[in-house]
Amino acid sequence: MPGEPGETVRLTSLRRTYGDGPHAVAALAGVTAGFAAGTFTAVMGPSGSGKSTLLHCAAGLDRPTGGTVAIEGTDLGALDETALTVFRRERVGFVFQEYNLVSALTAEQNVSLPLRLSGRAADPDRVRSALADVGLAGREGHRPGGLSGGERQRVAIARALVTGPAVVFADEPTGALDTRASHGVLRLLRGLVDSGQTVIMVTHDPVAAAHADRVLFLADGAVAGDLAGPVGAETVACRLAGMAGMEVPA
Ligand SMILES: Nc1ncnc2c1ncn2[C@@H]1O[C@H](COP(=O)(O)OP(=O)(O)OP(=O)(O)O)[C@@H](O)[C@H]1O
């Protein structure tokens, strides 16, 4: 289904099975969810609940076994590999826990990569402005090895944003950062959403989820809860503890 008005991403009956026969694992067992434009969603759930699989399928990095993903009304399943690659480059940003920067390239060169790959001129002003937007003006010539973890993640976020994507997917973007750097990255993501960007983030951290507008909980590959925010970190932690079968204080 193409999606509801005002929704940037729509997942319909999304399934992803790994392997077949008796050893098949249903990582996603039929997830239906919509993500409104300009909103920040945290996806949470126990280890193995399907969070990364959901993000990878929704971003067009992995093909679902069943169901559909629509981004801005485009059904990703209807695209062949080449068209999907082009669509992803143009309309989707992805931020990884381990940054995935090219160590031999400067910050500026890393950020210009998506533009170069899509055959567009890597306008230096545009690249510098993307770096300035994440608080890294003046660091254009630094290589990842000369930047802190938080700064590297900011470069990765600038790289995800430089094409002006419809949606940014972030898989544990603060998972490798200390508390202070995490806070900076979360405030940055929050600010992007407040300026209209749609962000969908997988996290284990209730404090990170508290920056989102909504928390979508997964368990065993299915939606197990959907809290509209702002949702406090304590509420999120209690919900997670409940899902893990731990005793939750009244
Ligand atoms: N490539 C794969 N081959 C086989 N099984 C897989 C593969 N990738 C994931 N799985 C299985 O699918 C299920 C969901 O995995 P997924 O990584 O999406 O969960 P997750 O919620 O992101 O977990 P975590 O919080 O530990 O990162 C798990 O049972 C996992 O073992």
Side-chain angles (χ1 to χ4, degrees), residues 8 49 113 231 238:
T8 299
S49 57
L113 267 184
V231 186
C238 281

Side-chain angles (χ1 to χ4, degrees), residues 18-19 25-27 45-54 172 202 204:
Y18 292 108
V25 175
S47 184
S49 57
K51 303 180 296 294
S52 291
T53 304
L54 180 140
E172 290 277 1
V202 163
H204 282 104

Side-chain angles (χ1 to χ4, degrees), residues 147-169:
L147 297 170
S148 70
E151 290 167 341
R152 287 182 209 181
Q153 196 57 296
R154 287 168 183 273
V155 174
I157 292 169
R159 181 182 57 184
L161 290 170
V162 74
T163 54
V167 52
V168 171
F169 295 96

